[in-house]
Amino acid sequence: MSIYPSTALPFSQACENNKQPILEVLQKELQSSTHVLEVGSGTGQHSVYFAPRLAHLTWQTSDVLAQYATINAWHTAYSAPNLYKPLTFDLAVDPLPISPASNQPYDAVFTANTLHIISWSLVTKLFELVGYVLPANGKLIVYGPFNENGHYSSAGNQQFDISLRQRDPKSGIRHLEDIIALAKTHHLRLSNKYAMPANNQLLVFQKF
C-alpha cells in the first residue's frame, strides 16, 4: 500500500500510460529470468509497478546519481521485497553493474525511452556492455519509438524527433535497422518485436 499518494511524487505521464502494455510483454519474455537490471530508471515508476508483478525475479534499478532521490521516493511509497534501490550507472564512465542480490551478472536488461535521448556513441556503448555481460540466451529489452525503412512511424514521432534534435543534436529517434545491426556486432539477435501504444515498439534481443 502507498504511504502517500503518487500525485505527491515526481511523475511521468508517459510511464503511467505505457506501464501495463510493457508489463504484459515482460511477463511473457522474462518468465525464465532471475535478475533484471533496469537501465535509466528515471522517476522509478516502472520499477514499482513491474517488480511486484514479476515476483519470481529481482528488479534492480539504476541511473545517474541525480535521479536517486526520485527513485528512492517511489520505492519508499511502493516497496516490494524483490525491488532494489538504484545503483549508480552513468553510461559515459561506468561498467555495467553486477547484481548485489546474487553477485552475478544480470540475465536480463530492460531500458525504456533512453535510446533516443542519449547520443549514438552511448547507444553503442550500451549494446557493447550488455552484449559482453549477458550470459547465453540472456535478454536485452528496449522500449521506445523507432524509425523503420527510413520513415517515421507517425507525424507525431517526426515532430518529437525534431524537438529532440533541436534540444540536443546528438539525440533523436533511432532507425530500427541500425539498432539491429549494432546488436548483431555484440552477439545480440532480435528475437521479438512488439507494437506498443503511441507508435512505440518493444524490442527483445537475445544473446547468442
Side-chain angles (χ1 to χ4, degrees):
M1 177 176 291
S2 171
I3 296 173
Y4 45 93
S6 61
T7 52
L9 298 166
F11 185 78
S12 166
Q13 189 61 51
C15 286
E16 186 66 21
N17 294 345
N18 64 35
K19 64 184 183 181
Q20 182 59 32
I22 293 175
L23 175 66
E24 290 170 5
V25 175
L26 296 183
Q27 288 173 325
K28 173 184 176 182
E29 292 287 347
L30 296 179
Q31 289 183 34
S32 300
S33 299
T34 55
H35 301 292
V36 179
L37 172 67
E38 181 183 11
V39 172
S41 298
T43 62
Q45 284 171 250
H46 275 160
S47 66
V48 300
Y49 190 73
F50 297 156
R53 294 165 178 82
L54 297 165
H56 68 284
L57 52 77
T58 61
W59 190 276
Q60 175 65 64
T61 52
S62 73
D63 213 313
V64 296
L65 189 59
Q67 290 298 127
Y68 269 38
T70 300
I71 297 169
N72 283 328
W74 275 92
H75 286 195
T76 299
Y78 299 94
S79 62
N82 62 329
L83 177 61
Y84 285 72
K85 290 185 178 297
L87 297 175
T88 301
F89 181 46
D90 184 339
L91 262 175
V93 295
D94 294 327
L96 206 70
I98 297 296
S99 170
S102 65
N103 203 31
Q104 298 290 327
Y106 296 92
D107 53 14
V109 175
F110 169 78
T111 189
N113 289 325
T114 54
L115 301 194
H116 57 277
I117 301 298
I118 61 178
S119 67
W120 181 252
S121 64
L122 292 183
V123 173
T124 300
K125 186 175 180 183
L126 175 63
F127 276 80
E128 177 186 356
L129 291 174
V130 172
Y132 178 76
V133 169
L134 278 183
N137 299 314
K139 292 181 177 181
L140 168 62
I141 301 179
V142 180
Y143 172 89
F146 297 94
N147 298 329
E148 202 163 355
N149 299 316
H151 299 289
Y152 293 104
S153 60
S154 69
N157 274 356
Q158 182 177 11
Q159 291 302 312
F160 180 47
D161 186 57
I162 291 171
S163 69
L164 286 170
R165 294 177 188 277
Q166 287 175 339
R167 186 185 63 185
D168 180 359
K170 294 182 179 180
S171 66
I173 296 177
R174 310 303 176 186
H175 294 279
L176 179 62
E177 295 82 2
D178 292 342
I179 295 296
I180 293 173
L182 172 63
K184 285 181 179 178
T185 66
H186 297 293
H187 309 288
L188 297 162
R189 62 175 179 84
L190 183 68
S191 59
N192 276 311
K193 180 178 70 168
Y194 298 87
M196 304 296 283
N199 298 297
N200 289 299
Q201 296 187 52
L202 196 149
L203 311 178
V204 181
F205 297 92
Q206 197 156 14
K207 178 79 173 284
F208 60 86

